[in-house]
Amino acid sequence: MSGYSFIEATPWQCAGCRLPLTPTTVSLTYLNSVFNVELMACPRCGMLLVPESLAAGRMLEVEQLLEDK
Amino acid sequence: MDQLQLRAFENRCIQEELPFCTAACPIHVDVRAFMAGLAEGNLREARKVLDRTMPFPEIVGRLCDEPCRPFCKRGEIGDPLAISMLERACVGMTAPVLKLPKLPAKGGTVAVVGGGLSGMTAALDLGRKGRKVTLVTAAEGLGGSLRSLPETMLPREAFPQAAALLEGYGVTLMLAADLTVERIADLIATHDAVYFDRDEIGPQLVPQAAAQPDPLTLALPAEGGFAGGGLGEDSSSFSVIKQVEDGRRAALTIERYLQKVSLTAQRDKEGVCTTRMHTVITGMASSAVLIPADPALGYTTAEAQQEAGRCIRCECLECVKQCVYLQEYKEYPKTLVRKIYNNQAIVQGTRNANRMINSCSLCGQCTVICPHDIPVPELCRTTRQDMVRNGHMPPSAHDFALEDMHFSLSESCTLARHQPGTSASRFLFYPGCQLAGSSPETVVRTYRFLAGRLQGGVGLMLGCCGIPARWAGQEPLFAETMDRFKADIARLGNPTLITACSSCLSIFDEFCSEAEIVSLWEMLDSLELPTGKTQAPGETLTLHDPCTARHQETLRLSVRSICGKLGMHIVEHDCNGPLADCCGYGGLMQFANPQLGGKAAGMKAGRSEHAGLAYCAMCRDNLAASGHRVAHLLDYIFPVADGQNPLARSNPGFSRRHENRARLKQDLLNSLWPEAAVLQPEHRQITLLISREVLDLLNSRHILEEDVQKVIHQANQTGRYLVNPGNGHQLAGFKPVRVTYWVEFEPTSRGYVIHNAYSHRMLLPEVGQ
């Protein structure tokens, strides 16, 4: 899933910094695998958004794939 | 599991044994597949089956003397199938479909002396194998004694057709040959092997052939000589299929002879053989053989289809017929073990069978049903142990259930105390984690009853027997749990355990044999039940034994005795007692494969049209979750004051079950042991407002309300969360242990309204790390 982008317009804002979220590249890890993906995050404090569509979709698929490796 | 264990396991499953007809056929024609083709109206498919095994189907299909017929299972419920008549009909209505390949030419020369069916068969088989074969006969054509049959039994063109077939495989035919003693001696001298078809060749012509050939190999004492065919050993009967068998047997021997390998090794499955096939015919209707409208013409297509439709298609699959798991994966034990073996052998790549291995309920129904006691559950459980040991167990399979077990064994839920006001216990009531989770009030009422009726002190112990760890293959965790349990009961003076749960009982019986144990049901059956309050349901209930009571016969009898004393009208269904289904909880099936868990519960509940009565708390809740009306037996022995119908109680779900256990301990301490109160963690004070839909979502996603509280508590503590200015909702993620939970919530004056929650196991660099 490395190189994937999950950038989408979102109404969520960082509550602490009062800033709209912007695209950022982060490293996700699971069972010794690392994936660099683009997620929406607070440009100041880095607070991330994992949307439901990602958690219940692509992320779950990759988790299950890795678990059977 | 090594290769030997694999083979031993595979050998116990008899699904792939030959059906009775095929085993009784000297050349093992797949009669079952033949009948299936005919019954489906697919004549080509039926013909293909004959072409695959029969040499010269045009001849053998018309003349076979069907030694298989007396072994047809259908004969035990009506008439055996008219196998030979159906074969005759099939070859009469079809042209050859399958032409078996000819292997590349090899060395070695073979003479077949005599053109009867056995000689023809030997020549055909050896020709197909690429051997150089010469068939010599004094007759004008092939067929030997079959040549004298009337046209109505065998069309005259059958023999020229057979000759063309043989020549197609490179067999040299020498018809009308002058077969003198000298000529035969010459054939012997010029060929590596010679087969004498005794349907045509008598001992006066060939002195060597006068000796009896070896029955297994048909080899004559003279080197390179083989003989078969003709009349049987008792010289009284001529069997067509016996000619074929001899020809085929001799061809195989000659092939081995030419290869210079053992003529005798591993030939026990050749010819008529025994079979371990097990086919249950109970409940099948008897049927008579169909007589063709015109017996002289034989079956029409429609008649053949109808007669073949009587075939039972013998197989075993007894375990699969009942097991939702084997049905789901379309396996029977033999194929299942092969998949498990292959899965375990993978070094690099995807282990596709992990989920399958984790989906078995380990209930043991298949082992009871199997004529060879095949231990599928033990295989799955020990494989899980291997997976855990090798680091190949998918973490998501059992994490949720094991966390639940940890919670049941945590300070929040555990309790081990003597009866209030006493310092020793003769008995110790052990309700188990699931009854405590399903109906804590029932635990309290049952405990109060036991404490009031039994002498010598009745202690109470809340906890978990550790069976989830055992099912998950987590042996060290299970051992640790058992050790702790043993230490706890020792501290209470090793009282007699009274267990409400059959799973706990099975675990203690196996791993804590030093303890004295009695089931709650046997104990209640021995006491005078509470009077006045008990109320039998106004309808017939079907009793559902739990799978873990499969081997607990006295317990099951006590349950029935109690039902009788309560005046309940109980009916039994076929899959009860030793054959009981699992509700989906066993083996942690419903955690590794929630969908299958649901199916298992539905299947168990659906065994009867009546509302259900369970005495296992998990069965009760899972059957209720599958949409069926089901009560727990304790609901009728110790009814609640509010008069609610026990059959209508809904499934509490994971969160409520979790909370019930903690609340049970709190309530018991408050009412019975007020000296020790446990401080609730801060996040538990957060009030959640959750709609039915969102509750169901949490339950299906294995997210506990306590997890939601932890997320909100963390967001409030750190100020790190997202906000949607459009609707004022907040969104926060937090990872308490291994799973990251995201909760969309809305603070109100009455508490937090929960709009959504989801989770993932992949680790983020930011959230809660």
Side-chain angles (χ1 to χ4, degrees):
Chain A
M1 115 183 219
S2 262
Y4 273 80
S5 177
F6 300 98
I7 300 306
E8 55 181 24
T10 175
W12 294 108
Q13 298 186 357
C14 177
C17 308
R18 299 267 156 207
L19 285 172
L21 306 185
T22 56
T24 186
T25 301
V26 295
S27 293
L28 305 181
T29 57
Y30 192 56
L31 300 177
N32 306 320
S33 292
V34 181
F35 307 94
N36 293 314
V37 301
E38 278 199 309
L39 289 181
M40 298 300 278
C42 173
R44 185 181 295 161
C45 71
M47 173 81 192
L48 281 173
L49 166 66
V50 174
E52 181 180 17
S53 58
L54 173 59
R58 189 76 186 134
M59 234 176 186
L60 179 64
E61 280 171 28
V62 173
E63 285 168 8
Q64 293 186 338
L65 212 70
L66 288 174
E67 290 194 348
D68 285 340
K69 284 285 175 203
Chain B
M1 179 170 36
D2 57 30
Q3 282 266 351
L4 274 178
Q5 290 168 309
L6 169 72
R7 301 259 178 272
F9 192 101
E10 281 184 323
N11 189 41
R12 283 170 84 169
C13 178
I14 51 160
Q15 169 60 13
E16 289 175 13
E17 284 282 307
L18 296 178
F20 306 99
C21 46
T22 304
C25 171
I27 58 166
H28 297 176
V29 170
D30 189 351
V31 181
R32 183 175 60 185
F34 170 74
M35 294 299 171
L38 280 188
E40 284 151 22
N42 191 342
L43 281 170
R44 270 180 63 85
E45 204 48 51
R47 176 62 191 258
K48 204 192 270 183
V49 173
L50 301 185
D51 289 351
R52 192 171 291 130
T53 321
M54 273 184 185
F56 316 107
E58 304 286 350
I59 299 169
V60 182
R62 286 190 167 94
L63 302 177
C64 182
D65 37 304
E66 54 180 4
C68 54
R69 195 165 184 233
F71 296 88
C72 175
K73 196 78 181 169
R74 190 30 110 175
E76 294 173 34
I77 33 168
D79 297 320
L81 273 108
I83 300 170
S84 184
M85 269 214 284
L86 286 168
E87 288 174 348
R88 168 175 270 270
C90 179
V91 293
M93 294 184 282
T94 53
V97 175
L98 200 68
K99 187 172 188 303
L100 295 180
K102 178 183 184 334
L103 298 181
K106 289 188 272 190
T109 51
V110 183
V112 173
V113 184
L117 189 53
S118 93
M120 290 164 67
T121 302
L124 180 68
D125 282 7
L126 287 163
R128 280 173 178 165
K129 289 200 159 91
R131 300 295 178 185
K132 192 168 163 42
V133 184
T134 305
L135 187 150
V136 191
T137 173
E140 296 294 317
L142 296 172
S145 55
L146 300 182
R147 290 173 63 77
S148 57
L149 290 174
E151 169 85 20
T152 49
M153 280 186 75
L154 190 64
R156 253 178 264 297
E157 72 262 21
F159 294 119
Q161 273 173 4
L165 182 72
L166 283 168
E167 285 174 329
Y169 282 104
V171 175
T172 305
L173 298 178
M174 302 180 79
L175 307 178
D178 186 16
L179 271 184
T180 57
V181 172
E182 295 73 29
R183 179 72 200 278
I184 287 172
D186 183 50
L187 284 170
I188 293 171
T190 54
H191 290 82
D192 296 317
V194 183
Y195 176 69
F196 300 101
D197 180 349
R198 300 208 287 195
D199 185 30
E200 277 193 354
I201 306 299
Q204 71 288 352
L205 206 54
V206 188
Q208 299 98 309
Q212 275 302 325
D214 176 81
L216 179 69
T217 62
L218 298 184
L220 292 166
E223 175 76 17
F226 306 87
L231 293 174
E233 269 172 39
D234 57 1
S235 300
S236 63
S237 61
F238 181 87
S239 158
V240 168
I241 197 71
K242 169 75 176 152
Q243 308 304 304
V244 175
E245 184 193 3
D246 279 6
R248 180 150 288 173
R249 188 180 285 276
L252 184 62
T253 304
I254 292 169
E255 178 64 22
R256 289 182 177 210
Y257 177 76
L258 295 175
Q259 287 177 4
K260 300 190 172 24
V261 296
S262 165
L263 304 189
T264 53
Q266 291 189 322
R267 298 191 69 165
D268 52 322
K269 283 280 172 189
E270 236 172 275
V272 176
C273 63
T274 56
T275 176
R276 295 182 299 149
M277 179 53 80
H278 173 83
T279 300
V280 174
I281 49 173
T282 318
M284 285 186 192
S286 168
S287 72
V289 68
L290 180 76
I291 309 292
D294 183 346
L297 283 181
Y299 286 129
T300 62
T301 316
E303 285 170 336
Q305 185 168 3
Q306 195 185 333
E307 172 63 8
R310 296 199 308 123
C311 175
I312 297 167
R313 306 203 194 160
C314 289
E315 56 180 355
C316 181
L317 292 189
E318 284 303 301
C319 53
V320 181
K321 285 178 195 165
Q322 305 303 339
C323 174
V324 73
Y325 163 67
L326 291 170
Q327 287 167 17
E328 177 83 357
Y329 283 96
K330 300 184 171 57
E331 306 287 356
Y332 46 88
K334 189 166 189 164
T335 53
L336 184 90
V337 66
R338 172 67 58 170
K339 281 205 173 157
I340 292 177
Y341 180 82
N342 291 340
N343 194 69
Q344 295 312 88
I346 289 171
V347 179
Q348 280 220 314
T350 305
R351 294 175 178 82
N352 285 317
N354 281 353
R355 195 172 161 87
M356 182 188 82
I357 295 164
N358 285 324
S359 293
C360 172
S361 73
L362 310 181
C363 79
Q365 183 192 52
C366 55
T367 312
V368 171
I369 291 174
C370 175
H372 297 280
D373 307 318
I374 204 142
V376 172
E378 201 46 21
L379 171 75
C380 289
R381 198 188 60 74
T382 50
T383 304
R384 292 178 199 178
Q385 281 180 10
D386 289 345
M387 289 163 73
V388 170
R389 216 176 293 131
N390 303 332
H392 294 317
M393 176 58 85
S396 66
H398 304 130
D399 232 13
F400 183 72
L402 292 173
E403 279 304 316
D404 195 49
M405 179 182 133
H406 279 300
F407 182 69
S408 298
L409 286 165
S410 73
E411 189 56 30
S412 302
C413 305
T414 51
L415 186 97
R417 290 185 166 266
H418 293 300
Q419 191 171 332
T422 69
S423 56
S425 297
R426 191 170 155 222
F427 298 99
L428 181 67
F429 179 41
Y430 193 89
C433 62
Q434 298 302 354
L435 184 61
S438 173
S439 182
E441 302 80 10
T442 305
V443 173
V444 175
R445 286 195 296 275
T446 308
Y447 177 61
R448 286 184 183 275
F449 173 79
L450 292 172
R453 290 290 166 94
L454 295 170
Q455 302 297 312
V458 182
L460 179 66
M461 189 161 163
L462 303 179
C464 169
C465 67
I467 204 169
R470 174 130 177 103
W471 284 336
Q474 304 275 352
E475 275 309 285
L477 176 61
F478 174 66
E480 189 188 306
T481 309
M482 270 324 290
D483 288 347
R484 185 173 146 188
F485 170 78
K486 287 177 188 176
D488 280 345
I489 57 170
R491 198 167 42 75
L492 294 172
N494 288 317
T496 298
L497 280 164
I498 305 173
T499 56
C501 171
S502 282
S503 306
C504 299
L505 181 62
S506 69
I507 283 287
F508 298 153
D509 268 342
E510 191 173 351
F511 298 97
C512 191
S513 50
E514 62 269 40
E516 243 184 84
I517 313 165
V518 59
S519 78
L520 173 65
W521 312 108
E522 286 157 87
M523 181 54 84
L524 289 177
D525 194 29
S526 73
L527 298 171
E528 198 181 317
L529 294 175
T531 50
K533 287 189 292 178
T534 51
Q535 224 178 12
E539 61 184 294
T540 298
L541 300 183
T542 192
L543 186 61
H544 292 295
D545 288 310
C547 60
T548 44
R550 191 179 310 291
H551 304 296
Q552 299 166 351
E553 195 185 353
T554 48
L555 178 154
R556 299 198 308 265
L557 287 172
S558 293
V559 165
R560 284 153 179 82
S561 163
I562 292 168
C563 291
K565 289 177 189 174
L566 294 176
M568 301 174 88
H569 188 242
I570 294 299
V571 288
E572 307 264 358
H573 55 80
D574 290 342
C575 283
N576 231 11
L579 295 177
D581 305 299
C582 170
C583 68
Y585 178 68
L588 305 181
M589 174 200 265
Q590 70 183 88
F591 301 97
N593 191 338
Q595 221 189 351
L596 186 59
K599 276 190 197 173
M603 184 189 232
K604 184 173 177 101
R607 293 286 188 186
S608 161
E609 71 276 18
H610 295 288
L613 179 69
Y615 55 98
C616 160
M618 268 328 297
C619 288
R620 209 307 303 179
D621 288 353
N622 275 345
L623 267 45
S626 75
H628 291 81
R629 294 164 67 241
V630 55
H632 194 285
L633 179 53
L634 288 174
D635 295 337
Y636 293 112
I637 305 176
F638 307 112
V640 281
D642 65 8
Q644 194 205 8
N645 185 352
L647 291 168
R649 186 155 64 88
S650 61
N651 171 34
F654 295 119
S655 284
R656 196 64 61 225
R657 211 173 273 136
H658 200 72
E659 274 173 40
N660 279 344
R661 285 182 209 129
R663 191 160 56 76
L664 173 62
K665 174 171 176 176
Q666 292 281 320
D667 291 351
L668 283 166
L669 287 181
N670 289 340
S671 59
L672 296 174
W673 295 278
E675 63 273 16
V678 182
L679 264 184
Q680 285 273 33
E682 242 182 285
H683 63 257
R684 299 295 280 168
Q685 315 303 323
I686 291 174
T687 305
L688 303 180
L689 305 168
I690 313 180
S691 67
R692 188 73 239 173
E693 290 75 34
V694 176
L695 262 184
D696 288 345
L697 183 76
L698 293 182
N699 205 45
S700 70
R701 289 183 166 174
H702 290 174
I703 299 172
L704 300 174
E705 287 173 44
E706 183 169 4
D707 297 323
V708 172
Q709 289 171 318
K710 285 176 182 169
V711 173
I712 296 173
H713 180 69
Q714 175 76 5
N716 289 343
Q717 291 291 303
T718 59
R720 287 180 68 75
Y721 55 91
L722 300 169
V723 62
N724 181 345
N727 57 16
H729 292 188
Q730 300 179 0
L731 178 67
F734 177 55
K735 182 170 76 75
V737 189
R738 276 179 291 277
V739 177
T740 302
Y741 300 99
W742 289 83
V743 179
E744 182 178 341
F745 56 98
E746 183 184 358
T748 69
S749 56
R750 293 179 300 118
Y752 291 87
V753 178
I754 307 305
H755 292 288
N756 193 11
Y758 49 92
S759 69
H760 55 80
R761 310 178 69 89
M762 203 168 269
L763 300 176
L764 306 178
E766 297 290 328
V767 182
Q769 309 280 302

